Amino acid sequence: MNSFQKEVQSRKTFAIISHPDAGKTTITEKLLLFGGAIRDAGTVKARKTGKFATSDWMEIEKQRGISVTSSVMQFDYKDCKVNIVDTPGHQDFSEDTYRTLMAVDSAVMVVDAAKGIEDQTMKLFKVCRMRGIPIFTFINKMDRQGKEPLELLAELEEVLGIESYPMNWPIGMGKDFEGIYDRYNNRIEQFKVDGDDRYIPLNEDGELEGSHPLMDSPLYEQTLDEIMLLNEAGNEYSVERIADGELTPVFFGSALTTFGVQTFLDAFLDFAPSPQPRQSSKGDIDPLSEEFSGFIFKIQANMNPKHRDRIAFLRICSGKFERGMSVNLSRTGKSINLSSSTQFMADERETVNTAVSGDIIGLYDTGNYQIGDTLTVSRDMFQFEKLPQFTPEIFMKVSAKNVLKQKHFHKGINQLVQEGAIQLFKTVTMEEYLLGAVGQLQFEVFENRMKNEYNTDVIMERVGNKMARWVEGNEVDEKLNSSRSILVKDRYDQYAFLFENEFALRWFQDKNPDVKLYNPMDGK
């Protein structure tokens, strides 16, 4: 294996997914702490101290204590280069998360021990399952009272339909939480004990020897009974089934107290896949191929508001990136020089000169890129598989409060819609701006960012829920516009109708059979 192949094999690129408040951002912080990337983990609760989670950099995220953008962070740990993508937990930002999941090789699913599998976890899990990527489960908040561990395993299998294999097992929970029985390392890790003293080795039979105080605890006896049950009746351990996404290794711990996180990280990196082949229009692209290629899965404006910059996030799928190299943009056939590039620690970044398959880098964008773009040195201009695009369901009319700030308004709206979380439409009659999104919070974020990043107050008027359908062939009689079927153009000048409801859509199709409509979600 040559040095380039070794570099690629050392990459571990994964996303962290969960329902809001399950502890996803907190566990991200602790992983960065173990990687030496940060010295002091901020928590989303630490408002009075001015400490905020490293991965939550946008102003509205700091105010609310939630993640609404995907942050990318890289650090070295042991012999691995780890790329973590902390995804938005809020369901209104599912689209950003779905696209992010196309850029990783595995996922860590964080589950709140008290709440079990929640709605957003279920949705995100389905995307991982659809892609067949390995899923590792961290059951969080064991230092609080929650559901019984066996009940949580049953939920994984019944609600998500994935078999589980506990790599470790909790000894008690809540105020009685004593630690974890580590099946993988054949040891007990004690809660509230520091340093290496927290580890107690087990004998060949998986039991304590000597006279440790824990041996007198009824919780220890109960744990041994449960371990025996898992050994006899639980799922069999299988590296192949983990790799295929059919079996999830399960870890227990408490991210807030950092307990169990390093044990999880060590085992995770033993099993998490290195960069995997990617589907494209010319077949699978081998990550070990030395011909450079990658795709843009996210665009973010104003990561540094002082500089009004735009960053395009590129997942490298094959070959080696070198700053200053020329690549082809498959969508346009245009040659682009990649002279300005960066790597991330949330909003901290540094110039990157080289990167390989599996890495995620940022490219400074002056308007060249769109989400889903393929960059390659190949001359045959292939395309990586299409990224999912959601059809907006809620619409708002938007205008500038101050007409003297039209220039700022247009710049802001054009830059923010290119990120893909909201879509921009213009009515064909009055040429009014309409914003479309899949969730209400996206409008709040838009309004907040227009004010803070572009110094422009906006007026938002609710248009309501609509069913958006695009016009095939992009030719239509503009007289078909009505209050129940509003005719608009998207930012690519494609015609679309916004229908009041399903009945209005059917009525329109019956009356106008020559107008062929489609929904991008159907793969058009």
Side-chain angles (χ1 to χ4, degrees):
M1 193 183 286
N2 62 32
S3 60
F4 164 70
Q5 291 171 330
K6 281 181 184 169
E7 269 197 272
V8 173
Q9 294 291 356
S10 73
R11 265 51 180 182
K12 305 285 183 178
T13 302
F14 65 96
I16 301 189
I17 62 172
S18 79
H19 196 82
D21 298 326
K24 173 175 55 63
T25 300
T26 308
I27 196 170
T28 304
E29 289 288 315
K30 299 306 166 79
L31 293 173
L32 295 175
L33 194 62
F34 288 119
I38 52 175
R39 287 202 182 90
D40 185 20
T43 85
V44 290
K45 302 253 183 192
R47 294 288 167 260
K48 289 180 182 171
T49 64
K51 284 189 338 188
F52 299 105
T54 302
S55 55
D56 289 341
W57 58 269
M58 195 189 287
E59 197 59 41
I60 196 166
E61 295 182 300
K62 292 175 181 177
Q63 292 166 8
R64 291 190 175 212
I66 56 169
S67 298
V68 294
T69 55
S70 302
S71 298
V72 180
M73 292 144 284
Q74 186 182 69
F75 64 88
D76 294 319
Y77 185 79
K78 297 188 173 175
D79 297 326
C80 295
K81 277 259 189 212
V82 182
N83 292 292
I84 301 182
V85 186
D86 176 24
T87 60
H90 200 286
Q91 63 181 12
D92 285 3
F93 285 79
S94 302
E95 189 168 0
D96 194 27
T97 304
Y98 277 44
R99 286 196 283 254
T100 297
L101 289 172
M102 302 290 282
V104 298
D105 300 301
S106 61
V108 172
M109 180 168 65
V110 183
V111 176
D112 185 322
K115 295 173 182 173
I117 306 299
E118 298 173 87
D119 289 348
Q120 185 66 359
T121 315
M122 216 179 308
K123 288 177 186 172
L124 298 173
F125 170 83
K126 284 177 183 170
V127 181
C128 297
R129 198 68 185 271
M130 191 172 66
R131 288 203 53 230
I133 64 175
I135 298 162
F136 298 78
T137 302
F138 186 87
I139 295 182
N140 193 21
K141 305 184 184 180
M142 290 307 299
D143 54 331
R144 302 181 192 177
Q145 202 62 34
K147 296 183 178 183
E148 289 297 325
L150 287 169
E151 187 185 342
L152 289 164
L153 291 192
E155 267 192 48
L156 284 173
E157 305 206 4
E158 289 162 17
V159 178
L160 298 182
I162 189 169
E163 293 184 3
S164 59
Y165 182 89
M167 303 292 274
N168 55 43
W169 197 251
I171 305 171
M173 75 168 75
K175 61 180 180 9
D176 296 324
F177 185 51
E178 305 237 12
I180 50 176
Y181 181 106
D182 190 339
R183 297 172 84 194
Y184 180 58
N185 294 299
N186 199 38
R187 67 189 183 192
I188 282 174
E189 184 175 348
Q190 301 174 91
F191 187 50
K192 292 185 177 172
V193 177
D194 295 330
D196 289 341
D197 290 344
R198 68 182 185 276
Y199 300 118
I200 316 169
L202 299 169
N203 63 22
E204 288 181 4
D205 297 323
E207 295 181 14
L208 289 169
E209 286 185 334
S211 57
H212 195 278
L214 192 58
M215 295 170 75
D216 299 325
S217 166
L219 289 171
Y220 170 66
E221 287 301 320
Q222 181 186 334
T223 301
L224 289 184
D225 289 344
E226 289 170 342
I227 292 294
M228 188 183 298
L229 178 66
L230 291 173
N231 290 340
E232 290 178 3
N235 295 311
E236 282 187 32
Y237 179 73
S238 164
V239 175
E240 292 77 20
R241 296 187 72 224
I242 292 172
D244 291 339
E246 294 173 2
L247 181 73
T248 180
V250 178
F251 302 80
F252 292 85
S254 163
L256 195 62
T257 62
T258 319
F259 182 77
V261 178
Q262 188 167 15
T263 296
F264 159 73
L265 178 60
D266 289 338
F268 170 75
L269 294 179
D270 285 345
F271 295 100
S274 297
Q276 297 296 294
R278 297 272 152 181
Q279 289 179 6
S280 81
S281 56
K282 71 168 190 179
D284 283 355
I285 302 299
D286 184 351
L288 298 178
S289 160
E290 299 201 5
E291 189 176 75
F292 173 83
S293 69
F295 65 90
I296 306 290
F297 67 93
K298 176 182 172 63
I299 293 174
Q300 185 75 53
N302 301 324
M303 288 189 76
N304 184 344
K306 291 177 185 172
H307 296 151
R308 288 282 178 270
D309 60 350
R310 275 164 47 91
I311 300 288
F313 288 74
L314 177 83
R315 157 72 195 226
I316 302 174
C317 300
S318 65
K320 188 169 189 174
F321 162 83
E322 292 181 332
R323 192 158 71 94
M325 73 189 297
S326 285
V327 298
N328 300 313
L329 177 57
S330 293
R331 175 173 49 83
T332 62
K334 194 170 145 187
S335 178
I336 295 179
N337 184 275
L338 303 182
S339 54
S340 298
S341 50
T342 186
Q343 274 179 328
F344 305 93
M345 171 53 60
D347 61 341
E348 298 291 319
R349 42 189 139 139
E350 56 184 47
T351 298
V352 58
N353 293 312
T354 61
V356 300
S357 312
D359 284 335
I360 292 171
I361 62 171
L363 303 174
Y364 289 91
D365 180 23
T366 55
N368 290 320
Y369 306 119
Q370 292 179 13
I371 288 171
D373 275 348
T374 295
L375 300 181
T376 174
V377 294
S378 171
R379 291 182 180 173
D380 60 6
M381 302 294 181
F382 68 87
Q383 296 272 0
F384 283 105
E385 62 182 315
K386 209 172 176 186
L387 298 187
Q389 180 189 353
F390 281 29
T391 305
E393 296 165 9
I394 311 171
F395 292 84
M396 298 274 254
K397 189 163 78 173
V398 61
S399 56
K401 208 173 217 176
N402 184 344
V403 291
L404 298 176
K405 293 210 168 174
Q406 288 293 338
K407 190 176 175 185
H408 288 276
F409 172 75
H410 285 103
K411 182 178 180 182
I413 204 167
N414 285 326
Q415 289 197 352
L416 294 182
V417 297
Q418 284 172 339
E419 295 180 6
I422 51 173
Q423 294 183 42
L424 178 65
F425 302 88
K426 200 185 280 186
T427 59
V428 294
T429 48
M430 308 287 289
E431 294 209 332
E432 294 172 320
Y433 280 137
L434 298 181
L435 296 179
V438 294
Q440 182 62 36
L441 181 60
Q442 288 168 337
F443 296 121
E444 294 175 35
V445 171
F446 169 82
E447 191 173 358
N448 183 287
R449 292 184 68 187
M450 285 293 283
K451 184 180 177 69
N452 288 315
E453 297 173 20
Y454 296 94
N455 196 26
T456 304
D457 287 308
V458 294
I459 300 168
M460 308 277 281
E461 299 174 60
R462 189 172 173 83
V463 177
N465 286 44
K466 302 287 178 190
M467 298 181 70
R469 294 294 183 269
W470 274 254
V471 178
E472 276 189 30
N474 204 36
E475 285 187 18
V476 68
D477 182 352
E478 293 190 358
K479 290 177 185 171
L480 291 175
N481 175 64
S482 74
S483 59
R484 298 181 67 193
S485 51
I486 304 168
L487 183 60
V488 296
K489 281 190 170 184
D490 67 14
R491 69 186 180 99
Y492 304 111
D493 267 344
Q494 300 292 307
Y495 281 114
F497 281 99
L498 308 182
F499 293 102
E500 194 172 41
N501 50 36
E502 184 79 41
F503 175 80
L505 169 60
R506 283 201 307 270
W507 188 89
F508 179 91
Q509 288 178 313
D510 289 343
K511 295 289 182 187
N512 303 283
D514 294 340
V515 181
K516 303 297 182 192
L517 303 174
Y518 70 91
N519 180 353
M521 284 287 285
D522 296 334
K524 170 74 182 174

